Amino acid sequence: NAGVTQTPKFQVLKTGQSMTLQCAQDMNHEYMSWYRQDPGMGLRLIHYSVGAGITDQGEVPNGYNVSRSTTEDFPLRLLSAAPSQTSVYFCASRYRSSGTHYEQYFGPGTRLTVT
Amino acid sequence: AQSVTQPDIHITVSEGASLELRCNYSYGATPYLFWYVQSPGQGLQLLLKYFSGDTLVQGIKGFEAEFKRSQSSFNLRKPSVHWSDAAEYFCAVGAQLTGGGNKLTFGTGTQLKVEL
């Protein structure tokens, strides 16, 4: 299987533009989440989902929307991009059941630049 | 709230030398601890994890880490570093979220350079 896939790999936006970062997984994982990675700050949780139709905010949700209509897909939407959203975005997923507590699988990332 | 500190931003070692990357955590309950590695332009790969039991855990690529509750530490070690180990290493602590999700809190990372 392909694991966690993200598209696009790179994107440049102008301030105020909108776009959707795609994330898909083929491991039938219930949990999916989005992180952003900024220099010197590690990874920070933006939004997460515990299953289809259920989403919640992480620690840095402002400026981002998510939805989870299927188990496989978890898109991240930027409605009006700002330079502060320049970052590398990672999608992650994991099983709900115990035995692999919190072991998350990460996608390859999307590098976003907002000018 | 949980937090993770990786005090070394950059570390340089010679190939074949031993390696220890430091990680200190703050968490109110029994921690679930992880080490991830990120090669340039790549996503994060899990090296090893600690949930309970033996405090010395073995991971992939010859890495190991030791959980020391008294020191709130989870340092990563490798007895002999290979040039291919050059990457950025992240320590993380896992926590359950209200509603059933989970969150990984990451440290700021340690960039490892290997000199040939």
Side-chain angles (χ1 to χ4, degrees):
Chain A
N1 57 38
V4 181
T5 58
Q6 291 182 237
T7 56
K9 288 192 185 329
F10 302 94
Q11 183 71 50
V12 179
L13 290 178
K14 295 186 188 303
T15 297
Q17 287 184 318
S18 63
M19 80 159 295
T20 299
L21 280 63
Q22 301 292 343
C23 174
Q25 51 90 12
D26 60 359
M27 297 174 282
N28 205 31
H29 287 171
E30 293 90 347
Y31 293 157
M32 296 185 74
S33 51
W34 277 101
Y35 292 83
R36 60 177 289 173
Q37 182 181 31
D38 301 292
M41 302 189 73
L43 280 80
R44 294 178 291 168
L45 182 66
I46 304 171
H47 285 286
Y48 67 98
S49 169
V50 300
I54 306 170
T55 64
D56 207 343
Q57 297 180 349
E59 58 184 308
V60 288
N62 292 341
Y64 307 96
N65 283 343
V66 292
S67 60
R68 183 99 179 268
S69 56
T70 67
T71 299
E72 294 78 20
D73 300 297
F74 190 44
L76 178 71
R77 297 184 187 85
L78 285 70
L79 297 180
S80 179
S84 61
Q85 294 178 303
T86 294
S87 187
V88 182
Y89 292 85
F90 288 100
C91 180
S93 70
R94 77 165 183 92
Y95 285 112
R96 181 176 186 169
S97 61
S98 62
T100 53
H101 295 285
Y102 309 150
E103 179 175 345
Q104 297 198 46
Y105 296 80
F106 285 82
T110 294
R111 185 175 296 274
L112 175 68
T113 301
V114 183
T115 61
Chain B
Q2 66 270 23
S3 66
V4 176
T5 301
Q6 292 180 249
D8 303 306
I9 298 174
H10 296 97
I11 283 186
T12 300
V13 299
S14 298
E15 189 175 36
S18 63
L19 172 70
E20 182 169 28
L21 302 182
R22 295 183 291 165
C23 172
N24 293 96
Y25 68 90
S26 173
Y27 187 58
T30 301
Y32 299 115
L33 296 162
F34 306 82
W35 275 99
Y36 283 86
V37 60
Q38 183 180 30
S39 298
Q42 302 297 311
L44 280 76
Q45 181 183 21
L46 182 69
L47 282 176
L48 48 78
K49 58 193 177 189
Y50 171 79
F51 297 139
S52 64
D54 195 347
T55 56
L56 184 64
V57 293
Q58 303 296 321
I60 62 171
K61 305 185 180 187
F63 285 92
E64 66 178 27
E66 186 172 11
F67 170 60
K68 293 185 177 180
R69 185 186 298 274
S70 61
Q71 299 178 18
S72 297
S73 69
F74 189 57
N75 294 348
L76 182 72
R77 301 194 294 247
K78 187 170 185 179
S80 178
V81 170
H82 189 263
W83 65 266
S84 60
D85 293 325
E88 189 158 23
Y89 292 80
F90 291 93
C91 181
V93 61
Q96 189 77 27
L97 293 167
T98 304
N102 72 88
K103 171 188 170 183
L104 288 180
T105 298
F106 286 84
T108 52
T110 297
Q111 187 72 46
L112 173 66
K113 180 180 175 182
V114 180
E115 291 183 331
L116 300 176

